[in-house]
């Protein structure tokens, strides 16, 4: 039986000779490489292969390529429907020279499929590999006939034998490639890091300097060499969920006397190793995605920030600074524990909402999950593809002192904009943001944002401050080469535009601090990029009396 089955496997491609009309082009050469059934391929996930993984794409390429064909220059996904009578194929006529052969295969073996529109498309061109791969259905029928003890039509078998030699080379190649793939998978399974977890990493080397601002000491800063490393373990237990565990290390401190232009890679723990992020994503049904950060949660982890190409999620790939990444409203009440939810209301509208608590781990009085620093955010996002719009609201309470009452985390803002009432006052804020982006073409995108924060002190005097921020960004992806990015950002970092009329701080409002940033990411290869950039800051420390400051950087990013 095994010998007969293998002979049928060798002979089966020749059954296509009875088709007469060329079968549809269904698979490219990679189909032969895969050697795995579409059903099993669709059930695989990248997490199944660990850190030394063979991507699921390598396995399902066959399944996808069987559904992908070129028709008039446009790619389209098609599926084939089984037919039981040749009359079901609208473009096959009795006058066609191969009509009888096609009719025989349909009615005798039942292994011919048509397209959903009822056509066979017999004049399409195909490769010899496609010719062999397209006979899987007929092979199944032949094996079934033999397995039931029936015999093949003698004339069909004679034709197969006459043409055996012509196609034996293709099937021998197929068999060899399947054997090679099986050996490769066995090796990967034996040496994989984990069946559920893969490793992702990023390392940033940056040479930077700040100059100008000589009358406030900015020019005293020395040239520095920063590093920042992140190693992320991404686990999936169902194929739809993700558990992120990230280790962080770095020595990238901020420049002295400069309160703006903070890099996205600025992180300084003295070269130690900390858990920088621990979070779990999982779906509830088809329209709800839940985000649970146990440590290091950021709003931009799940809320759309409407900043294509510039948003880098505090990484070292895109914009240079935290301000240029996206609207500063997403930096309020971050580095926390909590919960976030995205709900797809329609195909184009999504509602995001979440609650973060910075002191959730502490049992101390006026701390903990509900009595310490907290932030609540909601956003309605409209996304039509090329155009995106986000309306955002954030309410936050800061009960601490020192850095514990910084309104904006991760760097953006003047000293007053971050702490309008000093570093000892508890306060609460209400913030409103608008963000929009438009993709004009594959090589040009524009985004804009604006925001207002009303901050209220809990100390005596009940001071109130108005904080403003806005910006305009331009992105030119693939500028000068595939993977490159030219980025420009002009705007105003969060600053105190004024205090309430009863406040003794009324004369202490900031001057408007303009931030202009330009960078060019040059992609050396898939894993290494080099990004030179320059930042110009007017009114550093929120004072027009201060000399303008400039920050230059040459950032190299390794990612894997």
């Amino acid at each position: 039986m095994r010998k007969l089955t293998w002979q049928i496997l060798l002979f089966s491609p020749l059954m296509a000779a009875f088709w007469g009309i060329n079968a549809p082009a269904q698979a490219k050469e990679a189909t032969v490489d895969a050697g795995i059934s579409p059903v099993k391929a669709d059930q695989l996930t990248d997490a199944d292969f660990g850190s030394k993984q063979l991507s699921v794409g390598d396995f399902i390429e066959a399944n996808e390529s069987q559904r992908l064909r070129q028709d008039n220059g446009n790619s389209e996904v098609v599926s084939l429907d089984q037919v039981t009578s040749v009359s079901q194929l609208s473009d096959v006529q009795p006058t066609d020279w191969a009509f009888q052969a096609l009719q025989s295969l349909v009615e005798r073996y039942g292994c011919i499929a048509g397209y959903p529109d009822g056509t066979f498309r017999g004049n399409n061109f195909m490769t010899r590999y496609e010719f062999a791969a397209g006979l899987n259905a007929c092979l199944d029928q032949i094996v079934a006939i033999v397995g039931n003890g029936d015999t093949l039509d003698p004339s069909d078998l004679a034709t197969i034998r006459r043409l055996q030699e012509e196609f034996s080379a293709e099937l021998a190649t197929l068999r060899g490639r399947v054997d090679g793939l099986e050996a490769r998978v066995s090796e990967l399974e034996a040496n994989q890091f984990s069946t559920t977890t893969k490793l992702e990493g990023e390392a940033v080397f940056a040479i930077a300097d700040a100059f100008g601002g000589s009358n406030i000491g900015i020019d005293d800063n020395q040239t520095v060499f920063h590093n920042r490393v992140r190693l992320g373990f991404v686990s999936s237990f169902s194929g739809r969920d993700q558990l992120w565990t990230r280790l962080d290390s770095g020595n990238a401190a901020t420049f002295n006397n400069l309160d703006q232009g903070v890099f996205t890679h600025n992180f300084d723990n003295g070269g130690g190793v900390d858990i920088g992020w621990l979070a779990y994503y999982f779906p509830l049904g088809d329209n709800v995605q839940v985000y649970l950060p146990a440590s290091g949660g950021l709003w931009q982890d799940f809320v759309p920030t409407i900043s294509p190409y510039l948003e880098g999620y505090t990484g070292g790939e895109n914009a240079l600074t935290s301000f240029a990444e996206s609207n500063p409203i997403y930096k309020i009440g971050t580095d926390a524990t909590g919960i976030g939810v995205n709900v797809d209301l329609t195909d184009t509208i999504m509602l995001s909402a979440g609650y973060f608590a910075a002191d959730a781990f502490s049992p101390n009085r006026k701390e903990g999950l509900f009595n310490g620093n907290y932030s609540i955010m909601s956003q309605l996002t409209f996304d039509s593809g090329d155009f995106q719009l986000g309306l955002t609201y954030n309410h936050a309470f800061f009960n601490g002192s020192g850095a514990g009452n910084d309104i904006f985390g991760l760097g953006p803002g003047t000293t007053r904009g971050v702490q309008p009432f000093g570093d000892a006052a508890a306060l609460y804020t209400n913030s409103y943001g608008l963000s929009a982006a438009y993709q004009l073409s594959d090589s040009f995108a524009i985004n804009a944002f604006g925001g207002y924060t009303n901050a209220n002190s809990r100390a005596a005097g009940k001071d109130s401050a108005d904080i403003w921020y806005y910006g305009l960004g331009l992105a030119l992806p693939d500028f000068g080469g595939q993977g490159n990015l030219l980025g420009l950002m002009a705007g105003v970092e969060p600053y105190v535009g004024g205090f309430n009329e009863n406040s003794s701080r009324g004369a202490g409002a900031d001057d408007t601090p303009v931030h202009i940033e330009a960078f060019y990411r040059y992609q050396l290869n898939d894993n290494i990029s080099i990004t030179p950039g320059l930042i110009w800051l007017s009114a550093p420390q929120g004072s027009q009396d201060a000399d303008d400051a400039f920050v230059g950087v040459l950032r190299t990013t390794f990612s894997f």
Side-chain angles (χ1 to χ4, degrees):
M1 179 66 183
R2 292 181 59 190
K3 181 178 180 181
L4 178 57
T5 301
W6 180 242
Q7 286 178 337
I8 292 173
L9 180 62
L10 288 175
F11 299 161
S12 61
L14 309 181
M15 289 291 293
F18 291 104
W19 289 11
I21 306 174
N22 287 339
Q26 297 179 33
K28 55 186 177 182
E29 185 172 342
T31 302
V32 185
D33 293 334
I36 185 168
S37 69
V39 174
K40 293 182 180 178
D42 287 342
Q43 294 171 346
L44 296 173
T45 65
D46 282 341
D48 293 332
F49 301 96
S51 60
K52 295 182 179 179
Q53 65 177 334
L54 175 65
S55 171
V56 174
D58 294 341
F59 285 86
I60 68 173
E61 185 177 6
N63 185 35
E64 291 180 345
S65 63
Q66 286 176 337
R67 300 195 307 265
L68 188 66
R69 61 179 292 273
Q70 293 296 123
D71 189 6
N72 295 326
N74 297 317
S75 297
E76 61 177 2
V77 175
V78 296
S79 61
L80 303 182
D81 297 331
Q82 192 70 34
V83 296
T84 57
S85 173
V86 72
S87 63
Q88 294 176 252
L89 303 172
S90 61
D91 58 344
V92 176
Q93 305 299 325
T95 55
D96 290 331
W97 68 271
F99 177 82
Q100 290 184 353
L102 185 61
Q103 184 181 43
S104 176
L105 283 180
V106 170
E107 298 176 358
R108 185 182 306 173
Y109 294 106
C111 61
I112 292 298
Y115 287 90
D117 61 0
T119 61
F120 184 63
R121 306 182 191 179
N123 291 321
N124 286 0
F125 293 101
M126 64 191 309
T127 68
R128 291 171 66 89
Y129 282 121
E130 292 167 345
F131 183 72
L135 288 172
N136 285 336
C138 286
L139 174 61
D140 291 341
Q141 292 296 324
I142 293 172
V143 171
I145 291 172
V146 175
N148 292 332
D150 298 330
T151 60
L152 298 176
D153 185 283
S155 62
D156 291 348
L157 190 57
T159 302
I160 292 174
R161 287 170 176 165
R162 284 198 306 269
L163 299 175
Q164 172 186 359
E165 183 177 352
E166 182 177 355
F167 279 91
S168 60
E170 279 78 2
L171 285 175
T173 301
L174 170 63
R175 183 181 185 185
R177 290 182 175 178
V178 171
D179 291 344
L181 181 60
E182 289 178 348
R184 184 181 178 190
V185 172
S186 297
E187 181 181 358
L188 289 171
E189 289 176 344
N191 296 282
Q192 64 184 337
F193 167 72
S194 169
T195 58
T196 60
T197 304
K198 64 179 181 178
L199 175 66
E200 293 187 359
E202 181 185 83
V204 175
F205 292 0
I207 298 176
D209 198 359
F211 46 97
S214 57
N215 59 340
I216 55 174
I218 294 176
D219 208 29
D220 294 334
N221 285 285
Q222 305 298 306
T223 302
V224 296
F225 190 157
H226 287 158
N227 75 75
R228 209 267 326 268
V229 178
R230 288 176 165 178
L231 295 177
F233 300 88
V234 189
S235 304
S236 182
F237 311 105
S238 68
R240 300 181 65 197
D241 63 338
Q242 283 189 333
L243 174 66
W244 280 82
T245 305
R246 195 184 71 209
L247 304 179
D248 292 354
S249 179
N251 64 0
T254 57
F255 286 111
N256 298 325
N257 304 313
L258 186 61
D259 56 354
Q260 300 165 60
V262 177
F263 297 130
T264 59
H265 68 261
N266 274 126
F267 175 78
D268 183 15
N269 66 349
V273 178
D274 296 334
I275 295 181
W277 186 33
L278 179 61
Y280 185 54
Y281 295 88
F282 64 94
L284 289 178
D286 295 330
N287 298 323
V288 179
Q289 180 79 20
V290 180
Y291 171 61
L292 288 176
S295 177
L298 305 176
W299 294 118
Q300 61 211 94
D301 293 337
F302 75 99
V303 180
T305 56
I306 323 295
S307 184
Y309 302 107
L310 298 182
E311 177 64 81
Y313 307 98
T314 71
E317 292 282 355
N318 297 331
L320 297 175
T321 65
S322 180
F323 171 71
E325 271 193 325
S326 53
N327 196 325
I329 196 171
Y330 301 114
K331 311 298 195 298
I332 299 176
T334 54
D335 193 17
T337 299
I339 184 172
V341 178
N342 286 331
V343 181
D344 292 324
L345 302 179
T346 70
D347 291 341
T348 58
I349 299 177
M350 183 172 71
L351 175 65
S352 304
Y355 172 86
F356 282 177
D359 302 316
F361 62 89
S362 174
N364 295 335
R365 185 174 177 270
K366 294 186 178 181
E367 292 183 348
L369 185 60
F370 300 109
N371 291 322
N373 293 4
Y374 70 84
S375 179
I376 300 171
M377 177 174 281
S378 62
Q379 176 170 298
L380 197 63
T381 305
F382 172 79
D383 186 350
S384 65
D386 292 335
F387 177 73
Q388 297 173 296
L389 179 68
L391 302 174
T392 313
Y393 170 74
N394 182 293
H395 170 75
F397 173 71
F398 302 90
N399 195 37
S401 59
N405 68 359
D406 287 356
I407 296 176
F408 300 92
L410 304 177
T414 66
T415 300
R416 288 189 188 91
V418 173
Q419 291 184 330
F421 314 116
D423 63 2
L427 58 97
Y428 66 90
T429 63
N430 289 289
S431 303
Y432 311 86
L434 173 66
S435 304
Y438 184 63
Q439 183 94 25
L440 283 80
S441 69
D442 292 339
S443 58
F444 184 64
I446 183 171
N447 76 289
F449 63 78
Y452 164 73
T453 296
N454 178 249
N456 294 272
S457 172
R458 297 293 298 273
K462 304 297 183 183
D463 285 341
S464 176
D466 297 323
I467 303 172
W468 300 90
Y469 36 95
Y470 43 89
L472 175 68
L474 304 176
L476 287 79
D478 297 330
F479 184 84
Q482 185 73 28
N484 299 342
L485 175 64
L486 175 63
L488 303 170
M489 166 58 68
V492 173
E493 297 197 26
Y495 74 102
V496 174
F499 291 93
N500 64 3
E501 59 183 10
N502 297 322
S503 173
S504 60
R505 304 173 183 269
D510 289 321
D511 294 318
T512 304
V514 175
H515 174 125
I516 297 179
E517 174 177 330
F519 68 91
Y520 181 67
R521 183 189 70 207
Y522 179 69
Q523 199 72 39
L524 286 176
N525 54 44
D526 291 340
N527 303 104
I528 304 174
S529 65
I530 298 177
T531 308
L534 181 66
I535 305 160
W536 171 47
L537 302 169
S538 74
Q541 299 183 6
S543 174
Q544 292 287 4
D545 295 332
D547 296 336
D548 292 353
F550 298 87
V551 179
V553 62
L554 179 62
R555 181 184 69 192
T556 301
T557 304
F558 306 86
S559 59
F560 58 91

